[in-house]
Amino acid sequence: MEQDAATRRAWRDGVGVAIATSAYGVSFGALGVAAGLDVWQVCVLSLVMFTGGSQFAFVGVIATGGWSAVPAAVASAALLGVRNVAYGLRMAPVVGGGIARRLAAIPFTIDESAAVALAQTGSRARRVGFWVTGVGIYAGWNLFTLLGALLGDILGDPRSYGLDAAAAAAFLALLWPRLRRAEAVAVGVAAAVVAAMATPVTMPGVPVLIAAVVSIVVAAAMPLRREAAS
């Protein structure tokens, strides 16, 4: 019974995050067309790149610099995509199975699928959370990307709908139970402050990497401080 309850929770979390995140694909579709991409180009980006931050970075650079800025856009998108390598290492034991299953999991190894998986208890629930979230977002994100690209002019500024806040709220709901300890709060605050300070002065993708390094350093330093204090 306990395992069934954990699996149901994984399904519930995965579907909830998938819905909240997929809806934000409307913004990417509309902004991509506004930046000068064709509908099919926007849809191919979502199908192939499929990592929201990298996609928005790519379109943002194209919007400001035109097609001559493609190398910079690719560099920005690649920097943001680097974090998925770390997710892949962490998700490998969660996905389990042979090489074929792990290769199949690569496209779905994103922020949301990793977060939902790690929020679960038990290996089966984590695996369910990963696949439900990853596959759900992939299908929904591409559907809403197409919708946003086709209806961009009618929708107006998609940011006015607050869909980005919905995705952030879903993340916070997963993160909140882990913020009961002062150490977790300290790591999160340190990473957020550093990322906020780095954003205006660095290219897209760099703040995420800097924040990741800071969080690792702060988390590693805390046990050392406790040992020194004792």
Side-chain angles (χ1 to χ4, degrees), residues 4 8 19-20 22 24 40 45 61 88 90 104 129 131 146 150 152 160-161 177 198 208 213-215:
D4 290 341
R8 286 196 298 271
I19 292 173
S22 296
Y24 194 33
W40 72 268
L45 272 177
V61 175
R90 184 63 184 88
W131 285 108
L146 175 60
L150 292 174
S160 63
Y161 295 99
V208 175
V213 172
V214 168
S215 64

Short mmCIF file of all heavy atoms in Angstrom, two decimals, residues 4 8 19-20 22 24 40 45 61 88 90 104 129 131 146 150 152 160-161 177 198 208 213-215:
data_model
loop_
_atom_site.label_atom_id
_atom_site.label_comp_id
_atom_site.label_asym_id
_atom_site.label_seq_id
_atom_site.Cartn_x
_atom_site.Cartn_y
_atom_site.Cartn_z
N ASP A 4 2.15 1.89 -3.41
CA ASP A 4 1.11 2.40 -4.29
C ASP A 4 0.86 3.88 -4.04
O ASP A 4 0.66 4.66 -4.97
CB ASP A 4 -0.19 1.62 -4.07
CG ASP A 4 -0.08 0.19 -4.59
OD1 ASP A 4 0.82 -0.07 -5.40
OD2 ASP A 4 -0.88 -0.66 -4.16
N ARG A 8 1.32 6.87 -6.75
CA ARG A 8 0.25 7.81 -7.07
C ARG A 8 0.71 9.25 -6.88
O ARG A 8 0.36 10.13 -7.68
CB ARG A 8 -0.98 7.53 -6.19
CG ARG A 8 -1.76 6.28 -6.58
CD ARG A 8 -3.14 6.28 -5.94
NE ARG A 8 -3.04 6.26 -4.48
CZ ARG A 8 -2.98 5.14 -3.76
NH1 ARG A 8 -3.00 3.97 -4.36
NH2 ARG A 8 -2.92 5.19 -2.45
N ILE A 19 1.69 19.99 -16.69
CA ILE A 19 0.66 20.93 -17.15
C ILE A 19 1.14 22.37 -16.98
O ILE A 19 1.02 23.19 -17.90
CB ILE A 19 -0.65 20.70 -16.38
CG1 ILE A 19 -1.27 19.35 -16.77
CG2 ILE A 19 -1.65 21.83 -16.65
CD1 ILE A 19 -2.47 18.97 -15.94
N ALA A 20 1.68 22.67 -15.79
CA ALA A 20 2.12 24.04 -15.52
C ALA A 20 3.25 24.46 -16.46
O ALA A 20 3.27 25.59 -16.96
CB ALA A 20 2.58 24.16 -14.06
N SER A 22 4.16 22.97 -19.46
CA SER A 22 3.78 22.91 -20.88
C SER A 22 3.07 24.16 -21.33
O SER A 22 3.28 24.65 -22.45
CB SER A 22 2.89 21.69 -21.13
OG SER A 22 3.58 20.49 -20.87
N TYR A 24 3.55 27.09 -20.56
CA TYR A 24 4.51 28.16 -20.81
C TYR A 24 5.09 28.06 -22.23
O TYR A 24 5.69 29.01 -22.73
CB TYR A 24 5.62 28.09 -19.76
CG TYR A 24 6.50 29.32 -19.70
CD1 TYR A 24 6.01 30.59 -19.97
CD2 TYR A 24 7.85 29.20 -19.35
CE1 TYR A 24 6.82 31.69 -19.90
CE2 TYR A 24 8.67 30.30 -19.28
CZ TYR A 24 8.15 31.55 -19.55
OH TYR A 24 8.97 32.65 -19.48
N TRP A 40 7.45 26.67 -38.50
CA TRP A 40 8.10 25.36 -38.53
C TRP A 40 9.46 25.40 -37.85
O TRP A 40 9.88 24.43 -37.21
CB TRP A 40 8.22 24.84 -39.97
CG TRP A 40 9.24 25.54 -40.82
CD1 TRP A 40 9.04 26.60 -41.64
CD2 TRP A 40 10.64 25.21 -40.94
NE1 TRP A 40 10.20 26.98 -42.26
CE2 TRP A 40 11.20 26.14 -41.86
CE3 TRP A 40 11.45 24.24 -40.38
CZ2 TRP A 40 12.55 26.11 -42.21
CZ3 TRP A 40 12.80 24.21 -40.72
CH2 TRP A 40 13.33 25.15 -41.63
N LEU A 45 12.76 23.74 -33.17
CA LEU A 45 13.58 24.07 -32.00
C LEU A 45 13.05 23.35 -30.76
O LEU A 45 13.82 22.80 -29.97
CB LEU A 45 13.60 25.58 -31.75
CG LEU A 45 14.66 26.38 -32.48
CD1 LEU A 45 14.50 27.86 -32.18
CD2 LEU A 45 16.06 25.93 -32.08
N VAL A 61 18.52 36.11 -28.27
CA VAL A 61 19.68 36.62 -28.98
C VAL A 61 19.35 36.89 -30.44
O VAL A 61 19.74 37.91 -31.02
CB VAL A 61 20.88 35.65 -28.87
CG1 VAL A 61 22.05 36.12 -29.72
CG2 VAL A 61 21.30 35.50 -27.41
N GLY A 88 21.85 14.30 -16.00
CA GLY A 88 21.98 12.96 -16.58
C GLY A 88 22.75 12.02 -15.66
O GLY A 88 22.36 10.86 -15.48
N ARG A 90 22.98 12.28 -12.44
CA ARG A 90 22.17 12.01 -11.25
C ARG A 90 20.99 11.10 -11.55
O ARG A 90 20.56 10.29 -10.70
CB ARG A 90 21.67 13.34 -10.66
CG ARG A 90 20.88 13.20 -9.36
CD ARG A 90 21.75 12.64 -8.27
NE ARG A 90 21.01 12.41 -7.04
CZ ARG A 90 20.35 11.29 -6.75
NH1 ARG A 90 20.34 10.29 -7.63
NH2 ARG A 90 19.70 11.15 -5.62
N ALA A 104 17.31 6.47 -24.22
CA ALA A 104 15.95 6.95 -24.45
C ALA A 104 15.57 8.05 -23.46
O ALA A 104 14.72 8.90 -23.76
CB ALA A 104 14.96 5.79 -24.34
N GLY A 129 8.02 9.22 -11.57
CA GLY A 129 8.02 10.68 -11.59
C GLY A 129 8.86 11.23 -12.73
O GLY A 129 8.46 12.19 -13.40
N TRP A 131 9.65 9.74 -15.71
CA TRP A 131 9.09 9.49 -17.03
C TRP A 131 7.78 10.25 -17.25
O TRP A 131 7.56 10.81 -18.34
CB TRP A 131 8.87 7.99 -17.24
CG TRP A 131 10.13 7.24 -17.49
CD1 TRP A 131 10.76 6.38 -16.63
CD2 TRP A 131 10.96 7.28 -18.66
NE1 TRP A 131 11.92 5.88 -17.18
CE2 TRP A 131 12.06 6.42 -18.44
CE3 TRP A 131 10.88 7.94 -19.87
CZ2 TRP A 131 13.06 6.20 -19.38
CZ3 TRP A 131 11.87 7.74 -20.82
CH2 TRP A 131 12.94 6.89 -20.56
N LEU A 146 3.46 25.07 -30.78
CA LEU A 146 2.74 25.22 -32.04
C LEU A 146 1.57 26.18 -31.90
O LEU A 146 1.36 27.06 -32.74
CB LEU A 146 2.24 23.85 -32.52
CG LEU A 146 1.36 23.85 -33.79
CD1 LEU A 146 2.13 24.42 -34.98
CD2 LEU A 146 0.86 22.44 -34.08
N LEU A 150 1.23 29.80 -33.86
CA LEU A 150 0.11 30.06 -34.78
C LEU A 150 -0.75 31.24 -34.32
O LEU A 150 -1.28 31.98 -35.15
CB LEU A 150 -0.77 28.81 -34.88
CG LEU A 150 -0.15 27.59 -35.58
CD1 LEU A 150 -1.08 26.39 -35.47
CD2 LEU A 150 0.16 27.90 -37.04
N GLY A 152 0.28 33.76 -32.18
CA GLY A 152 1.11 34.78 -31.55
C GLY A 152 0.51 36.17 -31.61
O GLY A 152 0.45 36.90 -30.62
N SER A 160 2.15 38.40 -20.21
CA SER A 160 1.10 39.02 -19.41
C SER A 160 0.18 38.00 -18.77
O SER A 160 -0.57 38.31 -17.85
CB SER A 160 0.27 39.99 -20.28
OG SER A 160 -0.40 39.27 -21.32
N TYR A 161 0.21 36.76 -19.24
CA TYR A 161 -0.64 35.72 -18.68
C TYR A 161 -0.06 35.08 -17.42
O TYR A 161 -0.72 34.30 -16.76
CB TYR A 161 -0.91 34.62 -19.72
CG TYR A 161 -1.70 35.11 -20.92
CD1 TYR A 161 -1.04 35.45 -22.10
CD2 TYR A 161 -3.08 35.24 -20.86
CE1 TYR A 161 -1.76 35.90 -23.20
CE2 TYR A 161 -3.79 35.69 -21.96
CZ TYR A 161 -3.13 36.03 -23.13
OH TYR A 161 -3.83 36.48 -24.21
N PRO A 177 9.09 21.24 0.71
CA PRO A 177 9.33 20.25 1.78
C PRO A 177 10.80 20.06 2.11
O PRO A 177 11.13 19.57 3.19
CB PRO A 177 8.72 18.96 1.20
CG PRO A 177 7.73 19.43 0.20
CD PRO A 177 8.35 20.66 -0.41
N ALA A 198 24.84 37.98 -11.10
CA ALA A 198 25.57 37.67 -12.33
C ALA A 198 24.75 37.91 -13.59
O ALA A 198 25.31 38.14 -14.66
CB ALA A 198 26.06 36.22 -12.29
N VAL A 208 23.54 30.48 -14.32
CA VAL A 208 23.11 29.16 -13.86
C VAL A 208 24.31 28.32 -13.44
O VAL A 208 24.29 27.65 -12.39
CB VAL A 208 22.32 28.43 -14.98
CG1 VAL A 208 21.97 27.02 -14.54
CG2 VAL A 208 21.06 29.20 -15.33
N VAL A 213 27.85 26.11 -9.04
CA VAL A 213 29.15 25.98 -8.37
C VAL A 213 29.07 26.50 -6.94
O VAL A 213 29.57 25.87 -5.99
CB VAL A 213 30.25 26.72 -9.16
CG1 VAL A 213 31.55 26.75 -8.36
CG2 VAL A 213 30.47 26.06 -10.51
N VAL A 214 28.42 27.66 -6.77
CA VAL A 214 28.28 28.25 -5.44
C VAL A 214 27.50 27.32 -4.51
O VAL A 214 27.88 27.12 -3.35
CB VAL A 214 27.58 29.63 -5.53
CG1 VAL A 214 27.17 30.13 -4.14
CG2 VAL A 214 28.50 30.64 -6.19
N SER A 215 26.42 26.74 -5.01
CA SER A 215 25.61 25.84 -4.17
C SER A 215 26.42 24.62 -3.74
O SER A 215 26.32 24.18 -2.59
CB SER A 215 24.35 25.42 -4.92
OG SER A 215 24.67 24.64 -6.06
#
